[in-house]
Amino acid sequence: MNIHEYQTKELFRSYKIPVPDGRMAHSANQALSMAEQLGGDGWVVKAQIHAGGRGKAGGVQLAKTPDEVQQHAENLIGKRLVTKQTGEFGRMVNRVLVEQIHQIETEYYLGLVIDRASQRITLIASAAGGMEIEEVAAATPEKVINELVDPAVGLQDFQCRKVAAGIGLSGKQIVKAARIMKNLYRCFRDKDALMVEINPLVMAKEGQFLALDAKMSFDGNALFRQPEIADQRDFEEEDPKEVEASGHDLNYIALDGSVGCIVNGAGLAMATMDAISLYGGRPANFLDVGGGASPEKITNAFRIVLQDPHVKVVLLNIYAGINRCDWIAEGLVKAMTDLAVSTPVVVRLAGTNLEAGREILKRSGLSYIHADRLSDAAEKSVKAVNGGTV
Amino acid sequence: MSILVNKDSRVIFQGFTGQHATFHAQDAIRIGTQVVGGVTPGKGGQTHIDRPVFDTVKDAVVQTGANVSVVFVPPPFSADAIMEAIEAGIKVIVVITDGVPVQDMVRVKRYLIGHDAIIIGPNTAGVITPEECKVGIMPAHIYPKGRIGVVSRSGTLNYEAVEQMSELGLGISTSISIGGDPVNGCDFLTLLKKFAEDSDTDAVLMIGEIGGSQEVEAAAWARDHLKKPLIGFIAGATAPPGRTMGHAGAIISGEADTAQAKMQRLVELGVSVVQNAAEIGKTVQGSLK
């Protein structure tokens, strides 16, 4: 789960991680009064969306006067911002962050992730701030420092000092930077984060460090014990179909093809999408109904998949283990009846209680395209999209 | 032989009296698994499906000689249950629970150091050695006994592959799903090493997915050390970057995470790579000639 930059910076303040003075605004007028309240002689207006690449896309604007702040906010709020991470339709900007501008001496990178190879929290730092860290790591790996944290004792001060010296800091700056690293680690650990990134961490002319840009994401599986993080979820940043699906305990991700997919298990769901593509079609979505799929769950899955106007055929591919084919078949009959589905449906059932499931479908008299295997399921779905006889 | 579990494994269930644990314990017993009891704190001394219930894993180990545990404990308490099993001397811990916080697993993996135990999962369908021992939630009847070792992330894709193989007359020595989480108990490499030494396994099928580099690391080891055919598949060729595809670990964070890049690396390392999931069975059969 992601949160906005202004929310991350608010969290940073509570962990004594220095950030520029700033306020969030919902409107141009509010932005103007925020700039006046903040004072100073220059401001930056930053569009608040959950995607990166805002700067290059015009989502970060500098202003010399409060009137300019107002103008920039006017231009951003209520518009869709298209960055390289948003896709062609962009994201709606509902709020901006107004911050004081500081004179910058040097830029650094500071981040924490859960490193999959070592299975530990890892502190990442670099003197090459302000650039994509993946690109820095690929081109000049010697410029990126990785420091593993032993979960038994946590990040130690000496490790922070070592990293600070490693990115070229000296004297008192080492102590200051080490304190920021330690606080960032505490924040990461306390809040069940998966990733936090300060890019850039700058040293301002006055000699103090500031987290100029901040990104943070959290473990969705830990939200049960992080209510104040869960409250910050911004549903407007998510596809409404995905929000509805998660409310029904379904895992749905919208894609841009025409074959709607309803599958159990994440691995089989991905393999089904891949097979559709190998037969020349394109999946409209990823959807994992999970184990124990009740008839209601199958109906909800159909409803969500069919909300996508690009869907020309639905492929139901279930390999029942913990699921049961008879429950799935009942769900299919209920969904097709309740929703009066007219889109062609390809059905592939396998596993637990297969015969009972087939019997239910036969008795129902519903019209659907039968498939025995993954290969014919994918092939028949693609043919049905193209209007061919199956 | 087989790996991890066999007819002599003495199995307990943690979270024994819950609905799912009960159902799967009964199913395991049906195929001959030696389920010797279970643990539900506060219910020690009771009997459940004709087996003793204990308050602690330690009690269960002392009184039944248990050496394998299946964990059905809910996410907030899973890490504690796994560490309890490690401390009590359980050798194979299969964590079925889906939704264990990642940082909890980071701590569990630290605790595991210095202990002689293997954790499978979390978020796994489990382990099965056909006709001997089932410690998981898979449909046992689709797993015929045979000589192919299977290790996958996903459960249902594992079933799919097993069905394709069984239609061609190929059975399974042991099948393991390691689960879809980014920090999991056991990786592909650890299990490939076990299959390499198993005289009942003639070939190994590895079913991976996007995200991380486990499959590539396992294949790099196999090139120099595994004297049996290794067949590989990577799910997620059509997954968009930056999105978590159901499994928390299935996310493309960089070029090397994509299915295409991983399959390419596996081909370079000498693995028989399956491009189409519908042809897993055929490819395994072909590799045996």
Side-chain angles (χ1 to χ4, degrees), chain A residues 180-198:
Chain A
I180 293 172
M181 292 176 200
K182 191 72 175 285
N183 288 339
L184 193 62
Y185 170 75
R186 278 178 41 233
C187 177
F188 186 96
R189 185 203 55 198
D190 290 355
K191 302 299 177 191
D192 275 300
L194 293 180
M195 186 278 297
V196 62
E197 191 175 64
I198 305 177

Side-chain angles (χ1 to χ4, degrees), chain B residues 101-115:
Chain B
V102 178
Q103 292 200 26
D104 284 6
M105 279 310 295
V106 169
R107 288 184 274 271
V108 166
K109 289 306 292 282
R110 175 66 178 83
Y111 187 79
L112 182 65
I113 294 173
H115 292 89

Side-chain angles (χ1 to χ4, degrees), chain A residues 18 105-110 123-129 143 145 157-182 201-204 207-210:
Chain A
E105 289 274 298
T106 32
E107 295 185 294
Y108 303 93
Y109 173 95
L110 198 58
L123 177 64
I124 304 168
S126 175
K143 288 189 181 160
I145 296 177
D157 291 336
F158 80 87
Q159 294 182 287
C160 300
R161 295 195 299 272
K162 191 171 75 175
V163 170
I167 57 172
L169 296 170
S170 59
K172 284 222 168 64
Q173 300 296 3
I174 288 187
V175 180
K176 278 190 196 171
R179 199 174 300 136
I180 293 172
M181 292 176 200
K182 191 72 175 285
L201 173 73
V202 303
M203 196 191 295
Q208 86 273 31
F209 283 108
L210 288 170

Side-chain angles (χ1 to χ4, degrees), chain A residues 83-101:
Chain A
T83 82
K84 61 173 184 177
Q85 289 184 10
T86 58
E88 57 180 319
F89 300 113
R91 292 274 178 84
M92 177 60 74
V93 179
N94 291 315
R95 38 182 104 65
V96 294
L97 175 64
V98 182
E99 284 183 343
Q100 273 184 346
I101 287 183

